[in-house]
Amino acid sequence: MKRTAKISLVMLAVVVLIAALAVTFTACNDKTQQQHTHDYTLVEAKAASCTEAGNVQYYTCTCGKFFDSEKREIEESQTVIPATGHDIVTTSWASGGGSHWHKCNNCDEKFDLASHTPKDEWINDREATCTVYARRHKECSVCNTWTQDELYGELAPHTWNSQTGKCDVCGATKPIYEERDGKIYFGEYPQTKVEDSGLTATLAQMSGARPVKGNSGKWTDYKYYLDKKVDEYMWHIDLDYNGARYRGVYFTSYRAAFIGMGSTTYQDHNGYEINTLYWFKWEPIEWRVLEKQGGEALLMSNLIIDSYQFYHDGVDRDDIHPNNYKESDIRNWLSETFYAQAFDKFAQAIIKDTLVDNSADVSAAGAGNPFACEDTTDKVFLLSYADVKNPAYGFSVEDAADEARKLKPTDYALAQGLAPLNGYGPWWLRTPGGQQPFHADVTDTAGGVGGVNSLSVPETNFGVVPALRITL
Ligand SMILES: [Zn+2]
Ligand SMILES: [Zn+2]
Ligand SMILES: [Zn+2]
Ligand SMILES: [Zn+2]
């Protein structure tokens, strides 16, 4: 045991000696500055910028030495992070304040800075709708930044839905009629010929194959007379395009001006030829207000809107004369075809049933007309000889020419074969001619009535001027 204790004592002495030496060496590793203890000052890391160097985190000491974050001595150069240089984006332009430039990904300095150089032409961004105007802009030829923009043109028309009575685009409710400058605009009918060749080409393409006898395709046969019978030679088609409706008209034979009496026609005279496609725009019908009372108005079309025979034959049917208004083709056409085409269900709802007086006393102005027929109840009707001599309606009481009775035809009426003179057209009255069972009264192109203005009922070259009563 004594031997063991002696060894332990020696080992203890050795440990103490080593410890003393260690303290001596740590106190200063430089034998020239044996008493200096490093006084570490932390220098925080700083990132380099494009143009300025940064540094890593390090320590300094008053002795001028540098140490890393683990306090190992390093060279001063090892603390430095060099400046990065600019990272210029040359594939795109930055812009603002009327200028464009190439930017640096890492700093705010601007390179290749220059003012915008706008191109001359406008660039379209958006077409007009019924609620927003069209918009266009100009842009810089270098960086494509918009240098100018504006709203322009007019709002587009509403896209009326005939089922809902509202605009499909904005939901606005379609006004059933509009009143402007003393006229009422109510219902729609094809009227003005489309002259824009780009538009007619588009419509022609939309309409597909042209109809031929025996195959109308998408087209509707007018069922007009040729000689003495209904034949298939003239068609129409209605297309909606860009918020508007257009009617195409096409015929392979001319419509005879006088049914069953030769081939005279006014269609070619009016500039409408066979085997040619024509387009007419559907537009609101302009009505003249003849009378307004008790929340109702009596209206007559202010233009001749179509051309139609009074009756297709000049020969009596049993005891029915050809000029019998009640049994006439034109009354049937007004009540069925025109009424259905010109007025949607909302417009139809304000058209009154009118008791149409066809008596000789009233309709024929007391002329003792032997061809007067029974009264009728109609939505749409023709005016009578008495009506167009009524000063309360704005007409002259005389038969002679009257400005108020002079009416212009629509292009569409001319395409149907109306016979115009000096820009005005003749138009049917519902009054039977007093002398012949195959004559009915017409207002001539000068606005004259009576006397010689009773003409043959099978003539298709006289115009249609509908009249009706609406609830205001
Ligand atoms: Zn030091
Ligand atoms: Zn930079
Ligand atoms: Zn620019
Ligand atoms: Zn709209």
Side-chain angles (χ1 to χ4, degrees):
M1 290 301 285
K2 275 182 182 171
R3 185 180 167 88
T4 304
K6 200 178 279 179
I7 290 168
S8 296
L9 200 61
V10 171
M11 284 179 70
L12 180 63
V14 169
V15 168
V16 169
L17 183 63
I18 290 168
L21 282 169
V23 167
T24 305
F25 282 111
T26 307
C28 187
N29 59 358
D30 184 338
K31 290 193 166 60
T32 63
Q33 293 183 351
Q34 292 191 348
Q35 298 310 310
H36 177 72
T37 301
H38 289 313
D39 178 13
Y40 298 112
T41 302
L42 176 68
V43 178
E44 293 289 358
K46 181 182 150 206
S49 73
C50 294
T51 52
E52 284 179 34
N55 56 266
V56 297
Q57 187 194 63
Y58 65 96
Y59 295 92
T60 55
C61 175
T62 51
C63 67
K65 292 188 182 298
F66 295 84
F67 306 90
D68 69 11
S69 54
E70 308 291 326
K71 296 186 179 161
R72 291 174 298 221
E73 188 178 348
I74 53 175
E75 296 298 322
E76 182 180 11
S77 63
Q78 291 177 273
T79 67
V80 175
I81 302 172
T84 58
H86 294 295
D87 180 10
I88 301 171
V89 180
T90 54
T91 52
S92 63
W93 291 89
S95 79
S99 303
H100 54 246
W101 62 88
H102 285 131
K103 66 171 192 173
C104 171
N105 270 332
N106 301 321
C107 74
D108 293 332
E109 197 165 334
K110 297 171 179 179
F111 303 88
D112 309 317
L113 179 67
S115 293
H116 292 309
T117 51
K119 296 175 195 165
D120 285 339
E121 70 270 22
W122 288 101
I123 297 163
N124 238 38
D125 309 311
R126 178 178 78 196
E127 297 300 333
T129 70
C130 52
T131 55
V132 295
Y133 288 94
R135 191 182 62 199
R136 61 187 179 182
H137 72 266
K138 289 187 176 184
E139 62 184 34
C140 175
S141 60
V142 175
C143 70
N144 299 333
T145 295
W146 290 17
T147 55
Q148 189 182 357
D149 70 323
E150 64 176 27
L151 303 178
Y152 71 99
E154 312 224 325
L155 292 177
H158 293 289
T159 306
W160 299 122
N161 182 310
S162 60
Q163 293 309 307
T164 62
K166 294 181 188 301
C167 174
D168 282 339
V169 176
C170 71
T173 300
K174 183 181 184 180
I176 297 176
Y177 66 85
E178 289 180 72
E179 206 162 355
R180 286 198 303 275
D181 302 328
K183 300 286 192 302
I184 283 182
Y185 294 83
F186 173 60
E188 284 194 357
Y189 205 62
Q191 298 185 48
T192 306
K193 185 184 174 191
V194 178
E195 303 284 1
D196 179 329
S197 59
L199 178 55
T200 56
T202 301
L203 293 169
Q205 195 174 21
M206 288 172 67
S207 67
R210 295 187 192 182
V212 292
K213 191 167 181 164
N215 183 7
S216 294
K218 295 189 288 179
W219 294 65
T220 301
D221 181 3
Y222 276 107
K223 294 189 162 58
Y224 282 161
Y225 282 83
L226 199 62
D227 296 326
K228 290 217 167 199
K229 62 180 198 314
V230 170
D231 208 337
E232 191 181 0
Y233 65 96
M234 185 157 168
W235 300 263
H236 64 82
I237 191 169
D238 293 322
L239 297 176
D240 292 320
Y241 177 68
N242 255 358
R245 174 168 293 183
Y246 300 93
R247 170 165 290 188
V249 173
Y250 182 74
F251 47 98
T252 51
S253 294
Y254 288 106
R255 186 184 186 192
F258 197 129
I259 293 170
M261 292 273 284
S263 57
T264 300
T265 183
Y266 290 90
Q267 287 178 304
D268 56 350
H269 167 88
N270 293 338
Y272 296 94
E273 313 267 331
I274 54 168
N275 303 322
T276 311
L277 186 48
Y278 299 101
W279 293 95
F280 301 87
K281 188 174 187 195
W282 284 72
E283 294 160 315
I285 302 170
E286 181 182 294
W287 302 87
R288 193 187 296 183
V289 181
L290 299 182
E291 186 181 72
K292 217 184 216 183
Q293 62 177 30
E296 286 180 28
L298 171 62
L299 309 177
M300 68 172 272
S301 169
N302 204 38
L303 295 169
I304 298 169
I305 53 95
D306 210 321
S307 184
Y308 212 78
Q309 75 271 9
F310 193 95
Y311 186 68
H312 61 272
D313 201 343
V315 178
D316 281 2
R317 291 155 280 174
D318 299 325
D319 56 347
I320 302 169
H321 299 302
N323 61 4
N324 181 309
Y325 179 66
K326 185 183 177 198
E327 304 296 336
S328 67
D329 290 345
I330 203 165
R331 174 173 173 256
N332 185 59
W333 183 85
L334 285 171
S335 302
E336 304 286 333
T337 308
F338 176 73
Y339 178 72
Q341 292 189 1
F343 307 108
D344 62 22
K345 64 181 180 184
F346 303 97
Q348 289 178 357
I350 66 163
I351 300 176
K352 308 280 293 182
D353 279 320
T354 297
L355 178 63
V356 178
D357 190 331
N358 295 315
S359 68
D361 276 357
V362 175
S363 164
N369 194 314
F371 305 110
C373 69
E374 295 165 49
D375 292 346
T376 52
T377 300
D378 297 319
K379 297 284 193 186
V380 189
F381 48 92
L382 294 181
L383 295 177
S384 69
Y385 175 64
D387 288 333
V388 299
K389 292 183 66 166
N390 185 351
Y393 294 167
F395 299 116
S396 165
V397 292
E398 307 296 332
D399 282 352
D402 176 21
E403 284 298 317
R405 290 190 293 249
K406 281 171 71 173
L407 295 184
K408 291 180 175 168
T410 61
D411 295 338
Y412 181 78
L414 293 171
Q416 303 298 311
L418 186 86
L421 187 68
N422 302 324
Y424 294 88
W427 47 285
W428 290 112
L429 301 172
R430 71 173 185 267
T431 305
Q435 306 300 315
Q436 303 288 352
F438 49 85
H439 279 181
D441 280 7
V442 166
T443 302
D444 68 29
T445 53
V449 291
V452 298
N453 294 310
S454 273
L455 291 159
S456 294
V457 294
E459 294 199 50
T460 64
N461 56 116
F462 298 137
V464 186
V465 176
L468 44 76
R469 282 179 189 277
I470 60 167
T471 304
L472 294 172

